[in-house]
Amino acid sequence: MERLTEAQQELYDWLTEFIREHQHSPSIRQMMEAMNLKSPAPIQSRLEHLRAKGYIEWSEGKARTIRILHPLKQGIPILGTIAAGGLIEPFTDAVEHFDFSNMPLPPQTYALRVAGDSMIEDSIVDGDLVFLRPVPEPDQLKNGTIIAARVDGYGTTLKRFYRNGDRIILKPANPKYNPIEVPAMQVQVQGSLVGIWRIYS
């Protein structure tokens, strides 16, 4: 779809949230107040652009009939599975979403489903969802941080991070697994742990 201007995006985001919360579309006056506008003309112009670009539609002559055509999926994206044991390759596209809007999770948080038992002594077990956030400065990571790391030639795994000179040690929390020790250049830190979600059956 054609990209929106900043003003159009602002209205579209507000409309999406309003309709999600109230289950009906707002009035022109409500949109004017939300956008801090004194005249309906800019609102009507933005709505026409949103319709022309394929973001919304409405029934002619009927008030409050605006519909969002392509609502964004709400919640935390689950990007696949991460190994707590061997090494596996994660997905890059979200395969499902969970709505954790009431949880105080950082921006850009994503989730992976745990497969394996190498982190059981850190209370991370097979089937858990782990919430991770991007690490903008991996060089500043503290030793002992639980991270998702991609290891060249292997895949991605969930382990505790330790730096020793120019080498990285990824330690499991289960004595039956050996640490992974490789040159730092072979490790790409993909996220640090911010939370765990578990469903008890």
Side-chain angles (χ1 to χ4, degrees):
M1 290 190 299
E2 188 178 346
R3 294 187 64 177
L4 301 178
T5 66
E6 185 175 341
Q8 292 162 7
Q9 186 71 54
E10 181 184 19
L11 178 59
Y12 177 74
D13 290 343
W14 184 84
L15 277 172
T16 300
E17 181 60 27
F18 184 98
I19 293 171
R20 186 185 72 82
E21 182 176 342
H22 297 279
Q23 300 300 307
H24 63 77
S25 57
S27 66
I28 294 291
R29 180 170 295 279
Q30 286 173 308
M31 288 183 257
M32 288 168 53
E33 292 174 355
M35 299 296 106
N36 198 27
L37 295 169
K38 304 296 184 185
S39 164
I43 293 294
Q44 290 165 342
S45 174
R46 293 180 201 181
L47 289 173
E48 287 292 350
H49 281 100
L50 288 174
R51 179 163 71 167
K53 292 179 179 181
Y55 286 82
I56 64 172
E57 66 177 4
W58 64 78
S59 300
E60 294 293 344
K62 295 184 178 180
R64 292 180 180 253
T65 61
I66 295 172
R67 293 181 299 281
I68 305 297
L69 295 180
H70 302 283
L72 296 174
K73 290 183 178 179
Q74 300 293 318
I76 302 297
I78 301 174
L79 301 184
T81 303
I82 188 166
L87 296 170
I88 58 175
E89 193 68 36
F91 297 100
T92 55
D93 296 324
V95 295
E96 52 184 315
H97 283 70
F98 270 55
D99 187 356
F100 292 98
S101 54
N102 293 324
M103 293 177 64
L105 295 168
Q108 297 184 293
T109 295
Y110 63 96
L112 293 170
R113 198 176 299 280
V114 174
D117 61 356
S118 74
M119 298 300 289
I120 58 172
E121 291 185 2
D122 281 321
S123 297
I124 302 172
V125 303
D126 187 76
D128 284 354
L129 283 179
V130 288
F131 298 111
L132 303 145
R133 63 179 167 190
V135 179
E137 298 182 19
D139 291 344
Q140 305 300 315
L141 264 179
K142 294 181 180 178
N143 281 344
T145 302
I146 297 176
I147 63 163
R150 177 181 171 81
V151 183
D152 285 354
Y154 297 94
T156 301
T157 188
L158 189 72
K159 297 286 184 289
R160 282 195 179 271
F161 171 93
Y162 294 90
R163 185 185 299 276
N164 184 10
D166 62 353
R167 297 185 71 78
I168 300 296
I169 304 168
L170 301 175
K171 291 187 176 180
N174 184 335
K176 77 177 186 180
Y177 292 94
N178 294 321
I180 299 165
E181 182 173 351
V182 293
M185 61 185 298
Q186 289 184 223
V187 177
Q188 178 188 356
V189 177
Q190 296 189 325
S192 63
L193 185 72
V194 295
I196 303 167
W197 178 266
R198 179 178 306 155
I199 296 175
Y200 292 93
S201 57

